[in-house]
Structure formats: C-alpha cells, structure tokens
Amino acid sequence: LDRDSLQFGVRMSVCLTVSSLFVLARPPEGEGGFRQGMWVLITVLFVCWFPTLDVASVLEKSAQRLVGTLVGAALGLACGFLSLEVREAHGFRAQAICLAGCIALVTFAVCSYATARVGQARLIEKKNYATILCMLTFTICLMPFYSMSDKPWEKSMLRVRNVVIGCFLGVVLSMMVFPRPTVPILEEKLTKAVELAGESSEAVLHTAADVFAENAYHVPQEDGPLPTRKRMTVRRRKWRNAESDYAFEHGHDSV
C-alpha cells in the first residue's frame, strides 16, 4: 500500500464513522433521535468517494448534490401538492393519473434541458451528478403523496435537511483529514497532457517525413503493400539510400 491509499482509507473511515452517528445515536425502537439519518451517511459517502478527489472537487460535488436535491425536492413538492388537489376533487384514480403525468413531463423537461448544448458542450457533461440527484429526489419526494399519510411532505423535507448536513460534513472532514490540495493535481494532469502532446507531435513529424521520402524517391512495390511498421522501416531505408546516392554523385558526405 502506498501513501495515497492509506490516506484515502483513513479519510473515508473517519467520514463514514462520524456520519454513521446520525443513525446509531437513535435507539432502534425509540421515537427520539435524528430521523432518517441514513441520508447523511449516504451523502457523505458519495461526496467524499474516489481517492483522487481534491478539496475543490469535493466542493464541486457537494454543490451539485445540493442543487440537484433542492431542485428535485421543489419539483416533487409542487407536483405532490397538485396531486392532493386532484385527489380531493376526483379521487385516488385521478391522483394516480396526475402523478404519472407529472413524472412524464418533469422527466422530459429535465432530461431535454440537461442534454441541450451550452456553447460547445452539453450541460449534462458538466452537471451529470446534479441531474441524477434531481431526478432521484423528485421521485422520492413525489411518491409519498400517493398515500394516506397526514404529512406526505415531511419525508421530502427530512431528506433535504439531511443532504445539506451530509454535504457540509463531507466538505469539512475532507478538509481536516489528509486534505488533498488542488494545485499539485492540476500540475500532474498538465504534465501528462504536455507529454502526450509531445509524443503525438513526434509521431506526426515522423509520418510526414516518411510520406515526403516516399513521394520524393518512389520505388514501386511488386509484392503489394507491406504492414505499417515494415512499410515505415522501408521508407526510412529508401530515404537513407537516396541521401547516400546523392552524396556520392555530388562528392560530399550525407548528414
């Protein structure tokens, strides 16, 4: 195990242990304690996951989770209260039809907007996590309204509260337990990108030189085309032979 692996293990261990207290602090059969604390643990897990996440990435994931949760909860509550009005006027069957229609319309609107192009890229390429959380929270907040519960919106509000707590807890713990600064990670990625660009440029220059040599000193092939690697070797040999012939004819050495 290297240093990064050990630090990631310690960081995730501390994060999940602390967040699990929101569940374990409540007695199994008691009425008190922190309600639906499992959402705090789940939020911390997804926000802090992956060993390559630096502090800036954790902040970005937390912001996307908050935005997706808040938007999904708002849509779910709006459609849920609308379905209650429909149930009071036309009964449960009409409410079920209303909920199904709301799910269809909201899903179409969110997915269409998320896949729309903003400049050169699609929105979902940068906000994929927020989009998924929006749809998940929307369905979680909407379904309790199709029941006989006196407070169907209570589950939605508890989820929003616990997600906010989980995001805040995940960010704080990621900054306290072996935090990973953003600058070294960006430098490492930039170095790899420059090396890859250099290798690509070198390959293009070699290919251009081979093509030029073949066009300048064309020698027909009687046995058909050779494989790529062998063809490049033959091209280089032809170029060297042509340089030698030219030097011999003009009385000086080839370089």
Side-chain angles (χ1 to χ4, degrees):
L1 295 177
D2 56 9
R3 178 181 177 183
D4 291 339
S5 301
L6 294 174
Q7 289 182 353
F8 175 66
V10 173
R11 183 167 64 249
M12 290 304 302
S13 176
V14 172
C15 290
L16 294 186
T17 302
V18 173
S19 60
S20 67
L21 298 178
F22 288 88
V23 180
L24 300 177
R26 183 182 184 183
E29 299 179 357
E31 296 295 333
F34 199 85
R35 300 180 60 185
Q36 296 191 14
M38 180 60 69
W39 285 114
V40 178
L41 190 148
I42 293 175
T43 301
V44 172
L45 172 62
F46 282 99
V47 166
C48 299
W49 184 246
F50 290 125
T52 58
L53 280 181
D54 54 292
V55 176
S57 299
V58 173
L59 286 172
E60 182 181 1
K61 287 189 70 176
S62 300
Q64 289 200 33
R65 189 173 185 92
L66 284 175
V67 171
T69 300
L70 293 176
V71 174
L75 293 173
L77 290 173
C79 294
F81 282 113
L82 176 63
S83 68
L84 291 180
E85 297 294 332
V86 173
R87 184 177 69 182
E88 292 180 1
H90 303 285
F92 279 98
R93 188 178 297 275
Q95 183 191 20
I97 297 175
C98 177
L99 291 174
C102 290
I103 292 175
L105 291 175
V106 171
T107 302
F108 173 78
V110 172
C111 294
S112 299
Y113 178 74
T115 54
R117 288 192 177 275
V118 179
Q120 298 296 328
R122 297 185 184 275
L123 182 63
I124 198 171
E125 295 177 3
K126 297 182 178 180
K127 306 297 181 182
N128 183 38
Y129 190 55
T131 304
I132 295 175
L133 264 297
C134 176
M135 298 306 305
L136 176 62
T137 306
F138 168 72
T139 53
I140 290 176
C141 295
L142 185 63
M143 289 297 103
F145 283 89
Y146 192 63
S147 64
M148 297 301 296
S149 175
D150 296 334
K151 298 179 180 179
W153 61 87
E154 187 176 20
K155 186 175 182 179
S156 305
M157 303 308 297
L158 289 175
R159 170 175 166 76
V160 172
R161 180 198 67 181
N162 293 344
V163 166
V164 171
I165 294 175
C167 290
F168 176 78
L169 191 62
V171 171
V172 172
L173 292 177
S174 297
M175 292 181 175
M176 294 177 59
V177 184
F178 296 118
R180 296 200 65 185
T182 305
V183 175
I185 296 179
L186 293 178
E187 291 178 351
E188 181 180 356
K189 291 182 179 180
L190 182 60
T191 302
K192 291 181 180 179
V194 171
E195 292 177 354
L196 181 61
E199 293 175 358
S200 301
S201 301
E202 184 179 0
V204 171
L205 291 176
H206 280 301
T207 303
D210 292 336
V211 172
F212 174 77
E214 182 180 16
N215 293 335
Y217 305 96
H218 177 70
V219 178
Q221 298 181 7
E222 299 179 355
D223 299 331
L226 296 174
T228 303
R229 185 180 297 275
K230 292 182 179 180
R231 187 164 59 249
M232 294 179 66
T233 304
V234 171
R235 288 174 180 173
R236 294 191 182 95
R237 188 179 297 118
K238 293 175 184 176
W239 174 257
R240 296 192 187 98
N241 293 336
E243 283 184 326
S244 299
D245 295 339
Y246 180 85
F248 177 78
E249 293 175 359
H250 292 79
H252 58 80
D253 295 334
S254 61
V255 179

